[in-house]
Amino acid sequence: MKNLITSIMLAFSVYGFSQEEKEKDSIIETSINVLDEVVLTKKKVLYTQKSDRLVFNVENSIVSDGGTALDVLSRAPGVVVSQDGDLSLRGQQGVAVMINGKLTQLSQKELANYLKSTASSNIKQIEVITNPSAKYDAAGKAGIINIILKKPNASGLKGTAFASYGRGRKNRNSAGFNLNYNKDKWGVFGNYSYTFRGEEEKKKFNQTQFTDATREEIATKNNQTSITDEPLTSNNFKIGTQYEVSPKTNLEFYVDAKIGSYQNMADGTNFLTDAANQPIFDAVTYNNSKEKWNDYTYAFSGLHKFDKEGQTLAFDFEYETSKFRSNQFQSADNTASSATVNDRRGFIPSQLKVFSGKIDFVNPIKEKQSLEWGFKGSIKNNDNPSVYEYNENNQWLIDFNSTNHFEYNEQIYAAYINYKYQLDKLNIQGGLRSEYTAIDINQKTLNETHKDDYLNWFPSISLKYELTSSHSVHASYSKRINRPSQFDLNPFRFYDDSFNYSQGNPNLVPEITNAMEIGYAWKSSFMASVYFNKTKDVFTEVYNYDPNANTTVTTEINVSKSYNYGINITNSSELSKWWSVNTLFNVFENKFMANVLNSSTIDPIMTVNLNVQNSFTITETLKAEANAQYQSKSNLGIYQRDAFFDFSIGISKQVLAKKGTIKLNVTDIFNTNNFYIKSVIAQTSLDKKYDLDNRIATIAFTYRI
């Protein structure tokens, strides 16, 4: 079945190039002659190709409605989401995420929870920016994903209300509204969303430990299984006001809040055998992790236009305070021997405070030339005291090997300049960004401190040449950085269960990437590019299994360098007036050069990613989608991921004088979008299988005021 559908997808992608005339930055557009005038009727396109980014118009996707931001990202061009919510772009990890153009300060886990708790109905667009200019933060070696939320701007009272119900293995539902009121110089806006996401995952870990690196003789085998119940509840709201001080000056202030909870309850087994396949350990396990968070952001921004046309000043100041708390409990009942495993519990609070501010200027020099320049500063503090205890003789005792009080302070100051020059057929943009970073780490429990500071320069340049009115070529280069987060550096332990935990590495240094791309475009129908990225000091996840304690420790290290290169093709075909197809095709390879567990290289894998979006206009008010995505086998560091496939369908109907829309969709119909990884290196073979809760049927209703 999978091969048949993949063949159909390939047939769609190469069939037909008959296109109507299109405007730039629009993938599908038709013109209708009415008497003596031409009326341009724009279809609601799914993708928009701009000079420096590919835009995914989420509000025009039927399949994406009724889900979460993380669900939508999994369908964004070139983006892959792991089982833990990690993002990769064109096969590369290290993606910076912005919300409405502002870089998020959340940890990887907190960001995943936030994206899971953000209703897709609140999202307007997702911008995928693989080679950003110097104006953007240099964070994110793979590029930037900018999530743009809906914000009505029309005068009077405008907005939308939405509700959805979905069912996979568990129930999922969401509801909320998005409103604004503008009159004269004043405007107020706000939104609220409630999300409940039930989820059940089935996991299976198989691990074989050999006597030496030749892997000829087995020492032990370990098999673990678990079934999780993972309810997530969130309440997100935003309220703000904007005021027109003068025709040339606008100010805005808002408060954004994210409040939620998440629980992971897992029933499982852990079975360990020796070389003769005799049981050493056989346990029934139970793990319960309860998480709560509240995050508040206070923002003040403004825009001033000077008398000189095109000359502007913009400023943006933010203060964010976030509290995160995780309470854990793990138990295991061993029946194979007299060896016992003590019950464990952990208390892991975290408090984050971030202040950031930036000022941006745009100054036209002369006709068709302009200069952008600005400054940005951010100050971050994260306080993370963790306490672990174990139960012995019915008493809870502190585990001093795991308990740690970790405080992280970070300051980043940046300045940039960006020059734009437009000739008749040639557009040039070049810039330079400088970022100074200072970190101060204090491990209070161990009475250890670590300080570091470094200055980096990040050049960028992009060229676009119009060969004819329909054909153009472009080239770009940028240098970027991916800093380890405070959680990557924190050596405290985060237990998944009694036998698996992750641990930060305070010796991590930032990744530095040089990225290049050359491309060609025909109108806005066909776009192709070749890209090459080189990264040094690459983050790579590694594991260390201790057969005596039957425990696996996962951490990250730096390896020397990696290469990521590939070809990216985007094609839009209108097969008929009622059927259009958008095809995204990416072939890439990751090559790691490393000294990891006695291995100097990790075998590269050529990976194919194909995404086909079919849009059907049945009637004026009835539309449908059938979307398919396939990715072949790939590698992420020492891990190799199996191929996966996703096929989703949806249908929408406008009602109530076209003010309301009812949408029904089913994602991952064949339940083939799962996460299977394996690694064979040094003395250990590891195989992990995640049967994810991705097949979801959802009905959603939206009403526009």
Side-chain angles (χ1 to χ4, degrees):
M1 177 63 74
K2 184 191 301 184
N3 292 333
L4 173 63
I5 296 173
T6 304
S7 300
I8 294 173
M9 291 161 52
L10 287 168
F12 284 161
S13 67
V14 299
Y15 176 76
F17 281 92
S18 58
Q19 301 286 326
E20 300 291 339
E21 186 68 21
K22 302 171 183 66
E23 282 186 349
K24 294 177 182 178
D25 294 345
S26 177
I27 286 188
I28 301 176
E29 195 162 325
T30 60
S31 59
I32 304 172
N33 292 319
V34 181
L35 299 177
D36 294 330
E37 63 180 0
V38 176
V39 179
L40 292 179
T41 304
K42 290 187 178 181
K43 292 185 178 181
K44 292 185 176 181
V45 298
L46 198 61
Y47 298 106
T48 302
Q49 179 68 54
K50 296 190 176 182
S51 58
D52 63 343
R53 69 198 64 191
L54 185 61
V55 181
F56 176 25
N57 297 297
V58 177
E59 59 185 352
N60 297 341
S61 171
I62 300 170
V63 171
S64 297
D65 211 7
T68 69
L70 199 63
D71 299 328
V72 172
L73 280 173
S74 68
R75 292 173 174 81
V79 179
V80 174
V81 181
S82 78
Q83 85 286 358
D84 294 321
D86 302 342
L87 304 177
S88 61
L89 180 59
R90 290 180 174 179
Q92 269 199 309
Q93 294 178 310
V95 182
V97 177
M98 298 193 303
I99 309 295
N100 288 337
K102 298 176 182 179
L103 194 67
T104 60
Q105 299 293 340
L106 301 174
S107 70
Q108 176 182 297
K109 187 176 184 62
E110 290 170 329
L111 178 61
N113 284 338
Y114 169 66
L115 295 174
K116 288 179 182 178
S117 62
T118 300
S120 60
S121 300
N122 276 335
I123 301 175
K124 180 179 181 178
Q125 294 175 330
I126 292 176
E127 297 180 332
V128 179
I129 313 171
T130 52
N131 251 358
S133 71
K135 185 175 181 178
Y136 292 92
D137 289 85
K141 70 173 184 180
I144 294 174
I145 294 174
N146 185 24
I147 301 172
I148 301 176
L149 304 179
K150 293 178 180 177
K151 181 183 173 184
N153 292 312
S155 60
L157 180 63
K158 299 292 181 180
T160 59
F162 63 90
S164 70
Y165 170 76
R167 176 71 188 185
R169 295 171 183 152
K170 302 286 184 178
N171 292 325
R172 303 183 182 194
N173 52 72
S174 66
F177 61 83
N178 190 341
L179 296 172
N180 84 306
Y181 178 77
N182 291 323
K183 185 177 181 181
D184 299 328
K185 296 182 178 182
W186 279 100
V188 292
F189 57 89
N191 61 61
Y192 168 78
S193 64
Y194 165 82
T195 302
F196 174 80
R197 175 189 170 104
E199 186 171 11
E200 178 185 292
E201 293 186 353
K202 301 174 182 179
K203 304 176 182 180
K204 186 176 182 180
F205 299 171
N206 296 321
Q207 191 163 242
T208 302
Q209 187 76 6
F210 299 91
T211 56
D212 56 44
T214 63
R215 297 189 291 274
E216 295 180 355
E217 185 177 344
I218 293 175
T220 60
K221 288 184 178 181
N222 181 231
N223 305 101
Q224 299 180 46
T225 65
S226 70
I227 299 177
T228 67
D229 182 9
E230 305 178 41
L232 180 147
T233 304
S234 73
N235 291 273
N236 297 345
F237 69 85
K238 182 178 182 179
I239 185 169
T241 182
Q242 50 196 13
Y243 178 64
E244 183 182 305
V245 179
S246 71
K248 294 185 177 181
T249 305
N250 290 278
L251 300 176
E252 180 177 288
F253 174 78
Y254 69 80
V255 179
D256 188 3
K258 299 175 278 289
I259 303 170
S261 63
Y262 166 78
Q263 188 170 6
N264 188 321
M265 297 166 285
D267 292 300
T269 62
N270 188 305
F271 187 54
L272 179 69
T273 59
D274 60 17
N277 212 30
Q278 295 299 309
I280 301 174
F281 193 89
D282 187 4
V284 175
T285 63
Y286 174 72
N287 309 292
N288 190 348
S289 176
K290 298 179 180 179
E291 300 175 2
K292 291 185 177 181
W293 63 87
N294 57 74
D295 183 284
Y296 299 93
T297 300
Y298 308 87
F300 178 58
S301 60
L303 175 67
H304 177 71
K305 299 178 181 179
F306 294 94
D307 293 335
K308 184 178 180 180
E309 184 178 356
Q311 187 176 26
T312 62
L313 165 87
F315 66 87
D316 195 335
F317 298 98
E318 278 191 357
Y319 174 71
E320 179 180 0
T321 175
S322 174
K323 290 184 178 180
F324 175 87
R325 183 174 73 252
S326 175
N327 294 339
Q328 302 177 350
F329 175 79
Q330 293 108 19
S331 67
D333 184 15
N334 179 23
T335 60
S337 68
S338 58
T340 60
V341 178
N342 293 322
D343 291 349
R344 298 184 57 85
R345 66 184 185 186
F347 306 94
I348 309 169
S350 174
Q351 182 167 1
L352 174 69
K353 296 179 181 179
V354 182
F355 174 80
S356 63
K358 65 175 183 175
I359 300 176
D360 299 297
F361 297 89
V362 177
N363 187 28
I365 302 173
K366 55 178 68 175
E367 187 180 2
K368 298 183 179 181
Q369 294 186 61
S370 65
L371 201 63
E372 299 175 335
W373 53 285
F375 308 94
K376 181 180 180 180
S378 67
I379 302 172
K380 178 190 298 185
N381 171 265
N382 183 261
D383 191 22
N384 186 198
S386 62
V387 177
Y388 281 102
E389 298 177 340
Y390 61 93
N391 191 288
E392 188 171 86
N393 298 324
N394 295 322
Q395 287 186 319
W396 288 102
L397 305 175
I398 294 178
D399 182 357
F400 292 103
N401 292 324
S402 305
T403 297
N404 185 33
H405 188 175
F406 179 87
E407 186 175 14
Y408 178 84
N409 293 283
E410 175 190 89
Q411 298 181 57
I412 300 176
Y413 301 101
Y416 76 90
I417 187 168
N418 203 45
Y419 172 73
K420 294 182 178 180
Y421 186 24
Q422 182 177 350
L423 297 171
D424 291 338
K425 293 185 177 182
L426 177 65
N427 293 332
I428 302 173
Q429 181 176 208
L432 181 65
R433 186 180 185 91
S434 176
E435 294 189 352
Y436 170 77
T437 306
I439 62 172
D440 184 357
I441 298 174
N442 186 5
Q443 298 185 52
K444 294 184 176 181
T445 303
L446 303 177
N447 195 25
E448 295 179 358
T449 60
H450 173 72
K451 294 184 179 182
D452 194 12
D453 66 282
Y454 44 89
L455 177 68
N456 297 101
W457 298 87
F458 302 98
S460 65
I461 186 170
S462 64
L463 307 171
K464 184 178 180 181
Y465 185 75
E466 302 286 345
L467 299 169
T468 67
S469 59
S470 301
H471 302 270
S472 66
V473 293
H474 69 271
S476 62
Y477 162 80
S478 69
K479 182 180 178 182
R480 306 194 60 76
I481 187 172
N482 188 35
R483 301 176 181 87
S485 72
Q486 62 268 25
F487 292 95
D488 295 327
L489 297 169
N490 191 342
F492 87 97
R493 299 179 182 180
F494 193 94
Y495 280 85
D496 294 321
D497 54 52
S498 299
F499 311 99
N500 296 274
Y501 66 85
S502 56
Q503 190 170 25
N505 178 5
N507 297 315
L508 280 178
V509 299
E511 299 175 293
I512 300 293
T513 296
N514 289 274
M516 292 163 280
E517 183 171 330
I518 300 174
Y520 161 80
W522 174 64
K523 299 181 181 179
S524 290
S525 305
F526 178 82
M527 288 148 284
S529 62
V530 178
Y531 57 90
F532 176 84
N533 303 325
K534 178 182 177 181
T535 303
K536 70 173 184 177
D537 296 323
V538 185
F539 297 162
T540 301
E541 186 178 273
V542 295
Y543 54 83
N544 182 26
Y545 178 67
D546 181 1
N548 297 321
N550 191 21
T551 302
T552 301
V553 183
T554 304
T555 189
E556 280 195 297
I557 64 171
N558 289 110
V559 298
S560 57
K561 57 187 174 182
S562 71
Y563 302 96
N564 167 259
Y565 40 85
I567 300 173
N568 193 70
I569 298 174
T570 303
N571 178 56
S572 174
S573 301
E574 192 168 352
L575 306 183
S576 69
K577 291 183 178 180
W578 56 271
W579 182 12
S580 60
V581 180
N582 297 315
T583 305
L584 298 139
F585 179 73
N586 186 28
V587 180
F588 65 88
E589 186 172 87
N590 290 321
K591 185 175 182 180
F592 293 83
M593 308 298 292
N595 185 14
V596 182
L597 303 178
N598 300 321
S599 176
S600 59
T601 60
I602 300 170
D603 293 336
I605 299 174
M606 182 71 72
T607 302
V608 176
N609 183 283
L610 179 63
N611 194 328
V612 180
Q613 310 278 354
N614 296 271
S615 299
F616 307 95
T617 302
I618 302 170
T619 67
E620 184 182 357
T621 60
L622 184 63
K623 295 178 172 59
E625 281 185 23
N627 302 333
Q629 180 180 202
Y630 170 77
Q631 180 165 299
S632 63
K633 189 179 297 183
S634 61
N635 66 334
L636 295 171
I638 64 172
Y639 294 102
Q640 175 182 293
R641 179 177 182 178
D642 283 356
F644 66 90
F645 177 74
D646 180 290
F647 184 71
S648 303
I649 59 174
I651 189 167
S652 72
K653 171 68 175 176
Q654 289 183 318
V655 295
L656 302 176
K658 296 185 179 181
K659 287 189 174 183
T661 304
I662 298 175
K663 297 183 180 181
L664 175 66
N665 64 66
V666 183
T667 59
D668 193 19
I669 291 177
F670 302 107
N671 195 29
T672 49
N673 188 2
N674 290 308
F675 196 86
Y676 298 161
I677 60 174
K678 62 182 179 181
S679 176
V680 180
I681 197 166
Q683 295 178 224
T684 305
S685 169
L686 186 65
D687 186 359
K688 295 185 177 183
K689 295 185 177 182
Y690 297 81
D691 184 1
L692 304 177
D693 195 357
N694 284 332
R695 182 162 54 189
I696 311 295
T698 304
I699 184 169
F701 175 72
T702 303
Y703 184 78
R704 290 167 292 280
I705 299 175

